Amino acid sequence: MDCKTASELLPLYFDGELDRVSSRELEAHLDGCADCRDVLVGLDTLRTRLRDEASRHAAPELLRARIRKDLAARAATAATPTATFRMPRARWLALAASWVIMFAAGSVFVPAWNQAGAAGDARDQVARDVFAGHWRALAANSPYDVVSTDQHTVKPWFEGKIAVAPAVQDFAAQGFALAGGRIDYVGSARVPVLVYRHGHHVIDVFVLSQNDAPPQGKRIESQGYVMETVMLGSQPAAIVSDMGDVELARFVQLLGSAR
Amino acid sequence: MSSIIDQGFIDDMALRHLDAAYNLGRWLLGNEHEATDAVHDAYLRAVRAATTYAGGNERAWWLAIVRNCCLARLATRNKTKRDIAIDDAPATAERWLPRSEADDVENRIDSAQRQSLVNRHLQELPLNFREVLILREIEELSYREIADVLEMPIGTVMSRLARGRALLQKALAEHATSQVPHGL
Ligand SMILES: [Zn+2]
């Protein structure tokens, strides 16, 4: 690893956001490089100063009191059967719509997987991250970090940014044009995302590690978006978009048959 | 696909993360009065939006509402061009020190000065960088949570964090070199 790569990875390492393999490689570099160690010490010094010396303002009692008052008032209203918290449905919808931008970024509803237990929870989290990543990308100015309709540009772009660059193929002739790629997060892992366009639909293909991957053929719906898992060459991948079922099935087949 | 969450959940959540919410508001708006009002607004909005909260990271969801309320206030403030008092950093040496205790006076002046120095430089950073530093270094949110609060891609969070850290390091370093010990 050279100092340039190390300096890009250092903040991730420092913030506990770097995967284990890259962390080991970075540590090996740090063992032999005093300059990069200095950068790390600098980050740590700044953090220590911020945590020790910058003010973390505690909520004033006045604020807590106001909230408790609202809370009590609402509890009192709710107890009276004539004055419940109900609004006409349309009103709720309007309110929901007014917050849609925010929810696109943050909260996601994903139905539970069938599996119980920790493995199920972890996969739940994967689905949540994939939907959240997709929505965040849609809300951003551009859903990709590298714009290209050329598979020979997109693949090398990933190389050096992540451990395994995914297989990249364009399906413009079949109506699913490669539009670009980006790096997103699933859990704490940085994963490559291939972005395709089909008409006005944006399609994200999250290329996952074997461990993170939900079961093949699994289909999850959330707020009009669908996620489906396929094998992309030897790597599992999660497709997410708001396409219709027929189009999605075609795209799944295309991706699955690639190579 | 219904996801009705009972109101009690929002109340618990808001109260559980009230210090984080207030601290963010205080750093964004710069004074106690407005930060209190903004977080209160945010709470009322969160209650109304409860039915649309549907899982995911609750702290990020709540802080995103708080931040939006703060930004709305900042926008009005900029429009009306009112002068807003930025509260002084709480720890000026004079206020803290009982003057009689001569012994560790020097130490305490030093620590109080350092405190107000960091506060001042942090408050002077552009909002984009200030907020990401608060969320990461003080509230200890993950990149993903910060991206959710700020409604932006993680890549942008990372670059702002790097830039914010560099700016603050530079400001503090410049201060340290420009201020040759005088007096004390
Ligand atoms: Zn190095």
Side-chain angles (χ1 to χ4, degrees), chain A residues 3 29 33 36:
Chain A
C3 285
H29 176 85
C33 179
C36 287

Side-chain angles (χ1 to χ4, degrees), chain A residues 1-4 6-7 10 29-30 32-37:
Chain A
M1 184 179 293
D2 57 15
C3 285
K4 189 173 176 297
S7 69
L10 262 173
H29 176 85
L30 288 171
C33 179
D35 288 349
C36 287
R37 284 202 301 272

